[in-house]
Amino acid sequence: MSLRTALKALPTMLRIGFSEAVAYRAEMIIWVLATTMPLIMLALWSAVARGGPVGRFGQAEFTGYFLAAFCVRQMTSSWVAWLVSYEVKQGTLAMRLLRPISPLLAYATEVLAGIPLRVAIVLPVLGISLWVAGAERAVPTSLGGWGLFALGITGAWLITFYLNVLLGTLSLFLESSQKLMEVYMVLFFVCSGYMFPVEFFPPGVRTVMEWLPFRYQMGLPVELMTGAHSAKDAWALLGAQWTWVLGLGVVSLTVWRRGLARFAAFGG
C-alpha cells in the first residue's frame, strides 16, 4: 500500500468508522460508564482534602486533576489489543489482509473516528471542571500551554495505540495474550496517574515510573492540561514521551510484520 493510496482512502475510512461509532453508540456509552474511575477517586481524595491539602492538592486541585483524567481517558483510549487478539483467534484477520489498506491503518481510523462522539461527552465534564476548579486548574491558560497539551495528548494516544498493537500481535506468538493484557491494565491503573497523581509515590518509586511508558499515557497530558509544569519541565517530559512513541512504534511494527508471517487462517 502506497502512502498516496492510504491518504486517498483515509477520509472514507474515517467516515465509515464514524458511522459505525454512531451505530454502536449504546456500546460506547457503556464503555464510558466503565471508565468513571477518576470520578470515584475524585470523591475519595476530595474527602481526604477536607482535612487539609495533600501536597499541592486541595479540593479544587483534585477536581481539576481527576476531571482532566476522565477527559484524557476518553480521548486516548484504544481497544485494538482485544480486537487483534479476537480476529487472530477467529481467523477474520485474513479478511483485513486481503484489502489494499494496511490493517493497522484500519484499526487506527476505527479508534480515531469515535473521537467526535467522545468530545461530546468530554465537553460537559470540562465545563464542570472550569466552573468548580477554575480555568487555571482545568485547562491551559495560554496558547503555548494548549500547544504543549496537544503534543502531550497526541503522544499519549500513539503510545496507547502502539502498546495495544504490540499486545494484540503477541497472540500470534502465544496461545493467548489475554493475561498479558490484564497485567498491562493493572500496571496502567497503578502507574499512569489514572487513580492518583504520580507525584504521590515515594521519590525512588517515582524515578522507576519515569522510565515506564504508563505515566506518559495519562499523567503527563493531565499535568499539561492542569498547568502543573513550567515550559522547561514540560518540554523535557515531552521529549521522554516522544522517545517512547518512536521506540514503541519501531518495536510494535517489527513484531506485527514478524507475527503476520506466522498467521494462518482456514475457511470453511
Side-chain angles (χ1 to χ4, degrees):
M1 181 192 64
S2 67
L3 179 61
R4 184 180 176 185
T5 303
L7 292 176
K8 193 174 178 181
L10 194 58
T12 303
M13 295 173 71
L14 287 172
R15 280 199 299 274
I16 293 172
F18 180 72
S19 299
E20 289 179 348
V22 172
Y24 293 102
R25 55 191 179 279
E27 183 179 281
M28 179 172 289
I29 290 172
I30 291 172
W31 187 90
V32 169
L33 292 175
T35 58
T36 53
M37 179 61 74
L39 305 183
I40 297 170
M41 299 310 293
L42 170 59
L44 291 174
W45 283 106
S46 292
V48 172
R50 285 197 197 102
V54 182
R56 66 178 178 87
F57 287 86
Q59 286 185 302
E61 285 76 12
F62 276 126
T63 300
Y65 182 92
F66 284 113
L67 291 186
F70 177 83
C71 296
V72 169
R73 178 76 167 132
Q74 303 310 314
M75 302 298 289
T76 61
S77 62
S78 175
W79 53 91
V80 171
W82 285 264
L83 191 56
V84 173
S85 179
Y86 175 81
E87 292 189 350
V88 168
K89 285 182 181 176
Q90 298 298 316
T92 51
L93 179 61
M95 299 298 293
R96 287 188 187 269
L97 295 172
L98 291 174
R99 298 170 187 166
I101 298 295
S102 165
L104 293 185
L105 181 61
Y107 291 135
T109 53
E110 285 177 22
V111 176
L112 288 172
I115 285 184
L117 288 182
R118 296 175 186 278
V119 169
I121 296 167
V122 162
L123 287 178
V125 176
L126 198 57
I128 293 171
S129 184
L130 284 167
W131 178 52
V132 176
E136 69 279 5
R137 301 184 188 89
V139 294
T141 52
S142 67
L143 190 59
W146 278 107
L148 293 171
F149 172 67
L151 276 174
I153 200 164
T154 303
W157 187 90
L158 286 169
I159 289 176
T160 304
F161 177 74
Y162 285 138
L163 280 173
N164 269 259
V165 170
L166 183 59
L167 288 168
T169 306
L170 289 178
S171 61
L172 289 162
F173 297 89
L174 308 172
E175 185 176 345
S176 172
S177 61
Q178 187 67 37
K179 293 297 181 185
L180 288 176
M181 294 178 203
E182 292 172 4
V183 171
Y184 160 73
M185 289 307 299
V186 170
L187 289 172
F188 171 79
F189 284 147
V190 174
C191 301
S192 69
Y194 184 57
M195 297 178 68
F196 33 78
V198 172
E199 62 198 84
F200 284 4
F201 285 93
V205 178
R206 198 164 62 236
T207 301
V208 174
M209 293 169 67
E210 299 283 348
W211 288 92
L212 300 175
F214 309 107
R215 188 259 177 96
Y216 305 105
Q217 290 179 265
M218 174 61 64
L220 178 58
V222 169
E223 290 156 11
L224 293 175
M225 188 171 174
T226 54
H229 298 295
S230 65
K232 181 181 177 182
D233 292 341
W235 279 113
L237 289 165
L238 283 170
Q241 183 194 49
W242 280 85
T243 301
W244 268 110
V245 170
L246 294 174
L248 283 171
V250 171
V251 171
S252 62
L253 293 179
T254 302
V255 174
W256 168 259
R257 291 193 185 99
R258 293 191 177 184
L260 287 185
R262 301 167 58 92
F263 177 68
F266 304 92

